[in-house]
Structures are given as C-alpha cells and as structure tokens.
Amino acid sequence: QIFNQHNAEALNLEQAFYRMAQTEPNLDHDVSWFLLPSYWAKTVVALISFLCFANSYDGDFVFDDSEAIINNKDLRAETPLGDLWYHDFWGSKLSSNTSHKSYRPLTVLTFRINYFFAGGFYPVGFHVINIILHCTISVLMVDVFSILLGGLQFSNKGRRLNLAPKSSLLAALLFAVHPVHTECVAGIVGRADLLCALFFLLSFLGYCKAFRENKEGHTFSVFWVLVSVILGAIAMLCKEQGITILGLNAVFDALVINKINLLELIQKLLRKDKSLENAGLLRKGLLFRITLLMSGGASILYIRWRIMGTGPPAFTEVDNPASFADSLFVRAINYNYYYSLNAWLLLCPWWLCFDWSMGCIPLIKSVSDWRIIALAALWFCLISLICQALCSEDSHKRRILTLGLGFLIIPFLPASNLFFRVGFVIAERVIYLPSIGYCILFTYGFSLLSKQAKKKKILAVAVLGILLINVMRCALRSSQWRSEEQLFRSALSVCPLNAKVHYNVGKNLADKGNQSAAIKYYREAVRLNPKYVHAMNNLGNILKERNELHEAEELLSLAVQIQPDFAAAWMNLGIVQNSLRRFEEAEQSYWTAIKHRKKYPDCYYNLGRLYADLNRHIDALNAWRNATVLKPEHSLAWNNMIILLDNTGNLAQAEAVGREALELIPNDHSLMFSLANVLGKSQKYKESEALFLKAIKANPNAASYHGNLAVLYHRWGNLDLAKKHYEVSLKLDPMAPGTKENYNLLRRKLEQLQKKGG
C-alpha cells in the first residue's frame, strides 16, 4: 500500500510528532499520504526532480543563452573579474543607455566558472549545474514546507521538529515536478532564478535558525538574523527577486514566531488602541528584528542603486505593450489579466511558451472583452483567500493561508509592473519562487478535501495522478528546450499571434540554409507586427542574397524609417543600394550606420568595397584599415587590402599588410593564399611555395589554391609540379578561369621540351 505505510519506525515518528503538536492542530491529521523518514523523503524528492529534467542535460545553447553566454565577454578570461560588478547580465556596462539593468554578477560568475572548467562553450556542463541546482532546491523545500505547514517548534534539546512530514513531502513533490519550472532548469539563463531561489531559501532557513525555544519562550540570535540578511543580498545579486525574502522573513516572524492576529492588529490600529504591545507588536524582539531586516534591505538597495545608476532600462512597446497604453484603465486591466494568466500557468501548466510578447496576448481595451471573466475569477479567489486568512477563528488556518499568499504574491511583486516597467508580458521563469505559495495552498486544500472525503484513497490517487502527469509534462517540455528548432516550433501552437515566435522559427531556418521556408515565417512576423524592424532586416537580407533587390530595398527603407538608429538595417540598405549602382545613396547609408554605431567593422568593410568599385583606392584602404583596427580578426578586410595593393602594383605594401595580418590571424588560409600570390610576383618563390602548401593543407579542396601554386611552379620552372597542381585544380573545378589555358600552355611547352630532348 502507498498510504500511511506503518512500519515500526514511521509509527513511532508519527506518534512523536503528534505529541509535540500540542499548541495547535496538525495538518498531517487530515492528509492521506506517505509517511517517510526525513532522509528518505528528501531522497525521493531529489530523484523525482532529477527524473523530470534529466533529458535536458545535453541540450544546446538556446534562445537567450546566445546573448547571455556565448556573446557575453564577461565569461572570458581576458575580461577582469572586477568588471562583472559594473556590467549587466548581458555583459553591457550598467551606465550605458542600452543596458538592460539586470544586475546579476554572481550568476555571471558561475557562468564564467563553467566556461573556465569546460575550456569553452560546451553546454553540457552548464545544463548539469542547472539540474543539480533544481534538485538541491527541491530537497531544501522539504525543510521549508515543514516549517511553513507545520510551524516552527523545537525539542527540549533545541532541535527543530518536522510536525507535518506528509504534507511537506507532498508540497515539495508538487514543487519539484511543476512544469512551469522547465524554463529555469532547461534554459541555461534560468540559472539566475535557480541561484536566487537557493539563497532565498537559505536566507529563510537561516532566519528560522535564529530562534530557539526554552521554558521562558523564544530567544533569538542576532548573528543568524544578520546571516539571513546577507544571504538575501546574495540572492538579489543572483536575481532581483531575491530581495523579497527579507519581507517574507518579517511576515513569518510576525505570524509564526509572534503569532500576531492581523485582523486584530488592524482593528487596534484603526481604533488607535495604545495596547499594541498586547497584540504582539513589541513582544519577543519583533520590532528590533524587523528594524534589522528593513535596514539591511535599504542598504542593499542603496548600494545596488549606486552601482546601477538611476536610469531605468529602455524597453520597447513590443516587450510590454500594456505598459505603453495611454489609458490608465487599459494598463490596469491588462496588468490584472496578466496576473490571472500567471495564476493559470500555476494551476494548469499545459500551454507553455518561451516568449509571450508581440501580440501573443492581445490587449484588453474594453469591459466587453470576455477575458474580463478571468480577471474577475482571480480577484474573487484572492479576496476569498485573504478574508479566510484574516477572519478565520482557526489560528492554524490563518497562518497557513497568510504564508501561502505571502509566498505567492511577494516574490512576484518585482515582475508585477506596479513599481517599474518590466520587459516582458509573461515570463514563466519569474513564477519559480511564487510557486512555493501555490504548493502551500494546494497542499492545504488537499488536507481540507481529505478531511471531508469519505474515500481518502481515491483523492490520494488523484493527486498521485497529477504528480505523474506533471513529471511527464516536464520531461516533454525539457526535451523541447534541447534545441532552438524544437523550442521555437513548440511555441507556434501556443502563441500563433506572436510575431517573435515566427521570427525565431524563420531565423533558425535561415541559419540552416533553408531560405525559402525562412521567408515564409519572416513575412508572417512582419504581417503580425508591421513595425517589427528585425524581421524586416532579416527578410531584406535574404531577398538581397536572392537578388530580389527592389523588395529588399523597400523593406530596409521601412525598417530605418520606423527605427532611425537601426545601424544594421542602414548597412544592409547600403549594400542593396550599392548592388543597384546607386553609389551616393549607398555611401550615405553606410555613414548613417556608422553614426549610430561608432564601432562597426562590417560597415567599414562594406564601405571599402563601395570605394573600391568607384576606384577610390585610398578611401577603400582607409575604410578596410578602420575595420581591422576595430576588429583585428576581420579576415575579409585584410584580404581586400592585400588584393587591392597587389592589383595596383604596390607589392611591397601588400606584402607588409599580408605579414601583419598573418601575425594577428596565423591560421587563416585565405590570408596565406593572398600573401603567397604577392610573394610569387615578387619572385620570392620558396616562401611563396611554403605559404601555398600551408594554405592547401588547411583547405585542400580549393581549386584556386592549386591553380595559383601551379602558376608559381610554372614561373619557377618546376614544370612537373606545375602540371600536377594544374590537374588537381581542374579536377576540383573544370571551369576554373584561366587554369585550362595555363595548363594547355604548359603541356605545349612540355611537348616542345620532349621533342628537343628526343
């Protein structure tokens, strides 16, 4: 049997727990569930949480992982560690106007450690750490829920007692297998939420450790209160939500340690009753501890504000359309609708999406919209729960409901748009901590149903079924996070109106070379959001490569009209105008791109190509030189400089540039080839030969490499070697320009030599 497995040890434990719970009713009385020793309960939770997400261990870097990890210079050894404290989560300076202002230096530090030990960007190590973190957090939840559901009581030896072992196990399992957590665990950037949750829980447990019970009542340790504040600060340095633990610790102190009746306290405050001390406000050091928590929190926020600066992050309307609505009514009603959707994801986490922006959730603009029902249902439930939490005569019920609502609402406040604009509509990752409150309320609801139900085993089997369904859903969802293609396609059925989903599917297809399919998705993204400049830019690029220049120009021109500082679109518009031989307009577009992005090596490279086409050789060389200064590994710019100098007869200068380039990029075979050509013309045959052979070794299937080496041997007089490489070149590319003529010349020369020898 799976219910109340009464071996001798469990029975003794249960009886001991019930004897300890003398001051208030025990939640486990009404729960038909497993009763396991603490270490077994934690082992079960760890194994099941691992089972849910294990298949994500060898997934790729997906979605935001590219910007936060692969393109983040803060992970590389050449970036000083001190810079992490002045950069945002994405590696930008916090003082920059373009900074996201997400200040999570400790999370970035763990990414850097991952990168160091892996010796590069290998995602397995990153994923494994995320899975381990979630398992650790789920195990800690057993202790956290035992306190939240069973209260904080101690044995005579000062050891904390678990007075709700069955309920805490159920709540921890619900947390461990909740599918909404998949983004945090399977998506590597979700580590910010995991680390924040880890130190959030440690701060709470540290605060609980500050109390001991003796015959005189509660005593407390200032040391552990301060440790709790420090752990809260560490949680905030992993992700901003972490600071909310200080508020929750204060709520826990008031309700559990001091057993304050909130309704009674509010009534006394309204009556201006001077007997507040009797209400517990000043008893047992509560005021002193809350002062410590508030002072610590204020200090942490001040230091963060000083580092981050006062400027808010610059979000756009597509990130959070409700926050840009002119009407206060529209903003308020949509924010509340978003809250109801977050609540629904906790209750029924079936429709999950990596991104909920860009039309995924159309704005509610009038009270006649049927979605108002969801908003009304949310507030009906919340108000009912709040009334029960405040007005119930059962102190046990008041405590659990208040703590459940506190853990549900308080960690969600930074994402609520109430204090500042956030850069998303819905983000599953921000529900990781609020789901603690959901698990408390679910478990309490299950205990109430168990108390009323005649067939308790059927109810327990139903909950087991929910857990099993969630495990399967986690496994399925984490497999979707293994690759961008699966992740993006999974969102099409959930958010078909989301332009970003179509954009990402199109980008993924374009990266794989499937341009025709990519065009279809880019067009749909632009149709859904006619101001989606990134989709216009990418679509314009593909059309440019397919020589559909006029439509490409229309799209790129529209993109820069909508966003005049979009440097990439200006550059691509310049490339199209250059192809249409509208050189003056192209030059102007390139310089506009550079004006909006000062350090833009690719734009300088394309500007150089334009000048080369116009025979403005000095300007071309200067543009390419700028490209290599900004990006020393810009191989194409170096090559073009060498070739232009070679073609204009400046062999000595071409040789100097070639040698400089190879010092910076020693393994670039195209640079070896270009310099080898220059050295051959300068009659430095031996050095030229060595470079040609090195280039061929690096890229043996390049017909031009063999063809030009053959020309070198031809000039040098090594005719047999010349014949060999001409033949290899023609085999690789029978249509290679000039090679067949040179080969025929060589054959005639060899025939003449044979006749003379004969």
Side-chain angles (χ1 to χ4, degrees):
Q1 289 189 0
I2 60 173
F3 311 110
N4 297 327
Q5 298 184 7
H6 292 287
N7 54 37
E9 181 184 1
L11 182 60
N12 291 335
L13 278 171
E14 186 175 27
Q15 290 171 348
F17 288 137
Y18 288 155
R19 283 198 302 271
M20 297 293 181
Q22 296 172 356
T23 59
E24 56 184 23
N26 191 289
L27 196 64
D28 274 14
H29 279 300
D30 304 317
V31 174
S32 298
W33 196 249
F34 300 100
L35 178 60
L36 298 175
S38 177
Y39 62 89
W40 275 113
K42 292 177 180 179
T43 302
V44 168
V45 170
L47 288 174
I48 291 179
S49 60
F50 175 78
L51 182 66
C52 287
F53 303 105
N55 63 346
S56 68
Y57 86 96
D58 60 346
D60 299 330
F61 292 111
V62 298
F63 194 41
D64 286 340
D65 296 344
S66 298
E67 287 301 314
I69 298 171
I70 297 173
N71 298 331
N72 191 342
K73 292 182 180 179
D74 286 346
L75 270 65
R76 295 175 171 81
E78 58 266 23
T79 302
L81 275 173
D83 286 4
L84 270 62
W85 299 95
Y86 300 98
H87 291 177
D88 66 17
F89 187 54
W90 314 94
S92 301
K93 289 183 179 180
L94 282 165
S95 57
S96 168
N97 292 332
T98 60
S99 171
H100 197 273
K101 305 293 184 182
S102 301
Y103 188 57
R104 304 163 191 173
L106 295 184
T107 302
V108 177
L109 180 61
T110 67
F111 289 153
R112 182 163 172 152
I113 293 168
N114 258 129
Y115 174 81
F116 173 77
F117 282 108
F121 292 112
Y122 302 102
V124 171
F126 290 85
H127 282 294
V128 168
I129 294 298
N130 274 27
I131 295 169
I132 291 171
L133 281 170
H134 178 66
C135 293
T136 304
I137 291 162
S138 299
V139 168
L140 282 176
M141 282 297 178
V142 177
D143 288 330
V144 171
F145 284 128
S146 73
I147 296 169
L148 296 175
L149 295 168
L152 187 63
Q153 295 194 35
F154 302 89
S155 68
N156 291 331
K157 294 181 179 179
R159 187 174 180 179
R160 186 180 62 78
L161 299 170
N162 183 353
L163 300 179
K166 293 188 285 184
S167 299
S168 59
L169 172 59
L170 171 57
L173 285 172
L174 284 166
F175 179 88
V177 305
H178 205 297
V180 84
H181 297 161
T182 312
E183 180 176 352
C184 295
V185 185
I188 297 172
V189 295
R191 178 157 328 158
D193 299 88
L194 297 173
L195 286 170
C196 173
L198 176 65
F199 290 103
F200 182 99
L201 298 179
L202 290 175
S203 175
F204 175 75
L205 292 171
Y207 196 78
C208 293
K209 199 166 184 179
F211 300 96
R212 292 291 183 271
E213 191 173 49
N214 56 29
K215 292 179 182 179
E216 287 75 34
H218 286 278
T219 62
F220 71 94
S221 163
V222 174
F223 170 78
W224 279 107
V225 174
L226 293 175
V227 166
S228 174
V229 172
I230 292 168
L231 289 168
I234 294 172
M236 190 193 72
L237 292 174
C238 296
K239 191 173 181 181
E240 296 76 6
Q241 277 178 299
I243 193 68
T244 59
I245 186 56
L246 302 183
L248 282 165
N249 284 342
V251 171
F252 176 80
D253 196 338
L255 295 179
V256 178
I257 305 302
N258 286 270
K259 297 181 171 59
I260 289 177
N261 184 326
L262 286 177
L263 183 62
E264 180 184 319
L265 179 62
I266 291 168
Q267 289 172 343
K268 289 193 175 189
L269 284 170
L270 292 174
R271 293 198 305 265
K272 297 182 180 180
D273 195 326
K274 294 182 179 179
S275 62
L276 288 176
E277 186 175 348
N278 295 330
L281 190 61
L282 302 177
R283 288 204 309 261
K284 304 173 186 175
L286 172 62
L287 193 59
F288 175 71
R289 291 192 297 274
I290 289 180
T291 301
L292 281 179
L293 291 172
M294 290 178 65
S295 301
S299 301
I300 293 164
L301 290 173
Y302 175 74
I303 293 168
R304 187 185 189 279
W305 173 76
R306 291 283 298 180
I307 294 171
M308 188 185 78
T310 55
F315 297 122
T316 62
E317 187 175 351
V318 295
D319 297 319
N320 186 356
S323 67
F324 286 85
D326 295 328
S327 166
L328 177 62
F329 168 78
V330 172
R331 290 201 300 274
I333 206 165
N334 281 281
Y335 289 160
N336 281 276
Y337 180 59
Y338 297 161
Y339 306 155
S340 69
L341 291 177
N342 279 284
W344 182 248
L345 287 177
L346 287 172
L347 290 168
C348 184
W350 200 253
W351 293 277
L352 300 175
C353 184
F354 72 94
D355 186 272
W356 294 82
S357 64
M358 286 200 179
C360 187
I361 304 169
L363 287 180
I364 297 174
K365 296 182 179 179
S366 74
V367 290
S368 60
D369 194 312
W370 67 269
R371 291 175 293 169
I372 294 287
I373 297 169
L375 186 157
L378 170 71
W379 280 106
F380 175 79
C381 294
L382 279 178
I383 291 169
S384 299
L385 287 169
I386 290 168
C387 289
Q388 289 290 313
L390 290 176
C391 304
S392 175
E393 295 181 0
D394 183 347
S395 62
H396 184 64
K397 182 177 184 179
R398 287 201 310 268
R399 174 175 59 79
I400 290 179
L401 287 179
T402 307
L403 288 174
L405 288 168
F407 274 84
L408 181 70
I409 295 169
I410 293 175
F412 184 74
L413 289 176
S416 65
N417 287 289
L418 290 176
F419 304 109
F420 44 80
R421 176 185 290 155
V422 298
F424 52 83
V425 176
I426 291 175
E428 292 157 22
R429 59 189 175 274
V430 303
I431 316 178
Y432 194 84
L433 283 172
S435 65
I436 298 172
Y438 159 78
C439 294
I440 294 171
L441 296 174
F442 184 101
T443 304
Y444 185 65
F446 175 63
S447 75
L448 293 180
L449 286 174
S450 297
K451 189 175 183 178
Q452 302 295 327
K454 294 180 179 178
K455 297 183 178 179
K456 299 182 187 295
K457 291 185 178 180
I458 294 176
L459 188 60
V461 168
V463 173
L464 266 180
I466 291 172
L467 290 173
L468 183 60
I469 290 169
N470 280 355
V471 169
M472 292 189 294
R473 179 65 176 138
C474 284
L476 173 64
R477 185 63 181 155
S478 58
S479 70
Q480 292 172 341
W481 273 87
R482 284 164 52 86
S483 71
E484 286 195 333
E485 181 180 4
Q486 293 181 75
L487 179 64
F488 297 156
R489 289 191 177 278
S490 71
L492 287 172
S493 59
V494 180
C495 283
L497 299 178
N498 188 336
K500 189 184 281 189
V501 168
H502 293 273
Y503 167 81
N504 279 298
V505 173
K507 188 174 183 298
N508 184 258
L509 288 166
D511 291 343
K512 293 181 177 180
N514 191 348
Q515 291 188 338
S516 299
I519 287 173
K520 169 189 165 188
Y521 285 100
Y522 282 142
R523 289 194 191 281
E524 181 64 9
V526 174
R527 186 189 72 79
L528 290 169
N529 185 350
K531 293 184 179 181
Y532 199 173
V533 291
H534 292 285
M536 293 174 189
N537 180 56
N538 286 18
L539 178 55
N541 266 339
I542 292 179
L543 294 173
K544 173 191 71 182
E545 291 170 15
R546 294 163 71 96
N547 210 35
E548 298 177 32
L549 299 176
H550 292 289
E551 187 181 358
E553 184 183 23
E554 287 176 13
L555 281 163
L556 293 165
S557 297
L558 181 58
V560 296
Q561 284 176 29
I562 295 168
Q563 187 178 326
D565 63 347
F566 192 2
W570 277 113
M571 183 189 75
N572 290 323
L573 178 59
I575 295 171
V576 171
Q577 290 165 337
N578 192 12
S579 300
L580 291 168
R581 306 190 66 78
R582 298 214 301 274
F583 301 122
E584 287 185 12
E585 292 177 43
E587 182 181 8
Q588 186 177 353
S589 294
Y590 287 141
W591 282 115
T592 306
I594 292 166
K595 183 181 86 172
H596 293 300
R597 189 190 297 179
K598 305 291 187 212
K599 298 179 180 180
Y600 204 172
D602 288 344
C603 195
Y604 276 112
Y605 165 73
N606 284 299
L607 180 63
R609 289 184 60 188
L610 169 67
Y611 288 145
D613 290 342
L614 295 172
N615 292 321
R616 293 166 58 178
H617 296 156
I618 302 298
D619 289 334
L621 289 169
N622 286 335
W624 288 328
R625 174 59 72 177
N626 283 335
T628 59
V629 168
L630 293 170
K631 185 179 177 182
E633 67 276 15
H634 204 304
S635 173
L636 288 172
W638 285 113
N639 259 309
N640 280 20
M641 276 196 283
I642 298 167
I643 292 166
L644 179 59
L645 290 167
D646 181 1
N647 290 342
T648 53
N650 297 304
L651 295 181
Q653 202 175 344
E655 181 181 339
V657 170
R659 292 186 188 281
E660 182 186 355
L662 272 178
E663 281 184 18
L664 293 167
I665 324 172
N667 298 317
D668 191 303
H669 54 80
S670 64
L671 289 174
M672 298 173 196
F673 172 70
S674 297
L675 181 56
N677 284 325
V678 173
L679 293 170
K681 289 181 182 179
S682 302
Q683 297 185 351
K684 297 179 180 180
Y685 296 133
K686 196 70 181 172
E687 196 176 357
S688 176
E689 177 195 29
L691 278 173
F692 272 129
L693 291 173
K694 197 173 177 182
I696 287 169
K697 184 178 180 182
N699 189 16
N701 295 321
S704 60
Y705 290 11
H706 291 278
N708 284 28
L709 177 58
V711 170
L712 176 74
Y713 285 135
H714 200 155
R715 288 177 184 166
W716 199 0
N718 294 335
L719 302 185
D720 290 335
L721 286 173
K723 180 174 180 292
K724 171 189 170 185
H725 283 281
Y726 276 137
E727 288 171 351
V728 173
S729 178
L730 288 168
K731 185 177 179 182
L732 291 168
D733 182 9
M735 307 302 292
T739 304
K740 197 164 187 179
E741 291 80 355
N742 288 334
Y743 179 56
N744 289 333
L745 285 172
L746 176 65
R747 286 180 61 187
R748 285 197 292 273
K749 188 171 184 178
L750 286 171
E751 287 170 2
Q752 289 171 2
L753 289 172
Q754 284 178 352
K755 286 177 182 177
K756 286 180 182 179

